[in-house]
Amino acid sequence: MTKNTNTKRKGFVFKTYEAPFQSPFDKLFEIFKELITHTSGDFDEAIDWLRELDKEYKLTTAEYTIDDFIEDLKKKGYIREEIDPDGNGGTVITSKTERAIRQQALDHIFGQIKRSGQGNHKSKSPGIGDEHTGDFRDYQFGDALDKVSVTESLKNAQINHGIDDFKLSEDDLVVEDTLHKSQMSTVLMIDISHSMILYGEDRITPAKKVAMALAELITTRYPKDTLDILVFGNDAWQIEIKDLPYLKVGPYHTNTVAGLQLAMDLLRRKRNTNKQIFMITDGKPSCLRLPDGQYYKDSAGLNPYIMNKCYAMAQQARRLHIPITTFMIAQDPYLMRFVTEFTKANQGKAFYTGLKGLGEMIFEDYETNRKKRIR
């Protein structure tokens, strides 16, 4: 009788990378979703860009052309023919495409965020949550023993030590993450002033992607939370999630006060304990609407009258226990000083960032704020 010495071993296997199989439709659809976001929902322009890319990179074959792709979009319900009141016809995307774009934004932004084994989220009011997330992390000193996942911990022990020398150590233990069932009401403010497309840099498309990804995260993972989205230029107005792919920059100044007023009005109606405002902007506040309906504008520099109105709104939000997190897509020293004073008035937070990493910052901050009870 021979003893079977085969045991499972841990290690790395190196082999040539093989890309996952994608059908011709799926390959083109990934590109199409990016293009339709950049063109603000303009189907004809997106297809024109797709044809140009096809000429340069040979995306299609004789067996599957761009025209075949368009026909499949129709069959699968991603586009439809629409006739406007003037009798002009055209092709538009459907709500199915809008959902697909939001899911892609979520995968591209939130899917790249690596979860820390020990957790980076600090809280002023630590406690044990009561809502299971389905995610596991390493056991830390102080974790309640009833939160230890027995199944996952035993599996780790078997992998780490083997059956012949089975033992369970502290390093094998994992616990399931939990959250408090407190709801979070968030208002996301997006600057659509003209500077969001100035200097040859498209800043509005990344902002749209972040908003779509955040909307998809909240509606799928935290359905009890609420997300309201508003845009601000000379004035401020609320938009629906379905409107995001079509959002465009206008010939506007930046009325930050109007955006904050609308954001606080929306949050006053919420019964949730936790409320917060995320503001994405790249420029200085340069506009106010006066009581008589006229606009007070100053694009030359930081106007003290406009700045003081912004500080007053920040203080008002603080009194309502509404923290404001500002994501500043600019790093001009004088603008950073304004944001610093604005943040101090609200006792909120500010991030000075370029377009790269904007989504990760917003998602990390959303998760952090949700894991603690904002008072």
Side-chain angles (χ1 to χ4, degrees):
M1 182 179 291
T2 59
K3 185 177 179 181
N4 186 358
T5 58
N6 291 333
T7 59
K8 290 185 178 180
R9 301 182 181 218
K10 293 198 301 180
F12 297 96
V13 176
F14 295 92
K15 63 179 182 178
T16 304
Y17 172 75
E18 296 178 3
F21 173 77
Q22 279 188 308
S23 68
F25 173 83
D26 290 335
K27 290 179 182 178
L28 291 175
F29 192 48
E30 288 296 307
I31 302 170
F32 172 76
K33 286 183 287 186
E34 284 289 331
L35 293 174
I36 204 71
T37 302
H38 280 274
T39 61
S40 297
D42 189 321
F43 173 80
D44 292 332
E45 186 182 354
I47 290 298
D48 287 343
W49 276 107
L50 189 60
R51 291 188 190 278
E52 290 299 318
L53 291 172
D54 184 30
K55 291 177 184 177
E56 186 171 353
Y57 297 104
K58 304 294 186 293
L59 302 175
T60 64
T61 63
E63 290 75 25
Y64 194 85
T65 66
I66 297 294
D67 291 331
D68 294 327
F69 172 67
I70 294 173
E71 192 60 32
D72 279 348
L73 286 174
K74 292 178 182 178
K75 290 179 181 178
K76 295 175 183 290
Y78 288 110
I79 58 175
R80 70 172 186 272
E81 297 296 326
E82 191 173 83
I83 300 176
D84 62 25
D86 297 329
N88 299 317
T91 304
V92 297
I93 63 174
T94 65
S95 58
K96 185 176 181 180
T97 306
E98 294 165 0
R99 288 194 300 272
I101 295 170
R102 293 198 298 270
Q103 183 59 55
Q104 184 184 55
L106 178 64
D107 292 341
H108 284 181
I109 296 173
F110 192 62
Q112 295 176 1
I113 299 176
K114 296 180 179 179
R115 298 185 181 277
S116 168
Q118 297 185 357
N120 294 325
H121 307 293
K122 297 180 181 178
S123 173
K124 295 179 181 178
S125 305
I128 297 173
D130 49 8
E131 179 177 315
H132 294 276
T133 67
D135 296 325
F136 296 97
R137 61 172 175 80
D138 294 340
Y139 172 84
Q140 301 174 51
F141 178 78
D143 285 330
L145 292 179
D146 61 341
K147 298 300 178 183
V148 172
S149 172
V150 176
T151 303
E152 292 295 320
S153 299
L154 289 175
K155 183 176 75 173
N156 286 345
Q158 181 179 350
I159 293 172
N160 294 335
H161 310 295
I163 295 295
D164 295 335
D165 185 28
F166 181 81
K167 60 182 177 181
L168 183 66
S169 67
E170 183 177 333
D171 292 336
D172 303 321
L173 300 178
V174 294
V175 297
E176 184 175 3
D177 265 341
T178 56
L179 300 174
H180 290 285
K181 285 185 178 178
S182 58
Q183 297 176 350
M184 174 71 77
S185 290
T186 303
V187 172
L188 178 62
M189 297 173 51
I190 302 176
D191 184 351
I192 59 167
S193 62
H194 187 57
S195 60
M196 289 289 277
I197 55 170
L198 281 181
Y199 315 116
E201 185 173 47
D202 176 12
R203 296 168 172 175
I204 190 64
T205 299
K208 285 194 296 185
K209 287 184 178 180
V210 167
M212 288 190 290
L214 189 59
E216 190 68 11
L217 173 74
I218 291 175
T219 54
T220 56
R221 182 169 179 177
Y222 304 118
K224 294 181 181 178
D225 287 6
T226 65
L227 174 66
D228 291 287
I229 303 171
L230 66 88
V231 294
F232 61 105
N234 291 348
D235 295 290
W237 60 94
Q238 189 176 6
I239 64 172
E240 300 295 328
I241 291 173
K242 63 181 178 63
D243 300 328
L244 281 168
Y246 314 100
L247 189 61
K248 296 180 180 180
V249 167
Y252 307 123
H253 287 70
T254 308
N255 192 343
T256 306
V257 169
L260 293 169
Q261 286 175 333
L262 178 56
M264 284 189 278
D265 286 343
L266 291 170
L267 289 175
R268 283 191 187 98
R269 305 171 196 168
K270 309 295 183 184
R271 296 182 180 180
N272 303 347
T273 302
N274 295 333
K275 302 175 183 181
Q276 64 182 348
I277 295 172
F278 285 166
M279 178 167 64
I280 304 175
T281 182
D282 75 326
K284 58 184 176 294
S286 58
C287 177
L288 286 175
R289 191 167 188 177
L290 301 175
D292 62 2
Q294 296 187 53
Y295 292 98
Y296 177 83
K297 301 175 182 177
D298 185 357
S299 300
L302 284 173
N303 184 290
Y305 178 65
I306 297 176
M307 283 196 302
N308 287 333
K309 289 289 186 181
C310 291
Y311 298 149
M313 293 301 299
Q315 292 168 347
Q316 183 179 343
R318 185 184 67 190
R319 289 192 292 270
L320 294 172
H321 306 290
I322 300 175
I324 302 171
T325 303
T326 304
F327 297 88
M328 193 71 175
I329 314 174
Q331 297 187 359
D332 305 73
Y334 76 106
L335 290 178
M336 293 173 70
R337 286 195 296 271
F338 161 72
V339 173
T340 298
E341 291 301 317
F342 177 84
T343 303
K344 190 182 299 182
N346 176 253
Q347 294 184 356
K349 285 181 286 186
F351 294 92
Y352 306 96
T353 175
L355 297 176
K356 186 177 181 181
L358 173 64
E360 286 85 348
M361 286 186 179
I362 289 181
F363 279 89
E364 288 282 11
D365 205 56
Y366 180 81
E367 292 276 358
T368 299
N369 292 347
R370 198 183 187 281
K371 289 186 179 182
K372 66 183 179 183
R373 188 175 295 275
I374 299 173
R375 301 185 185 280

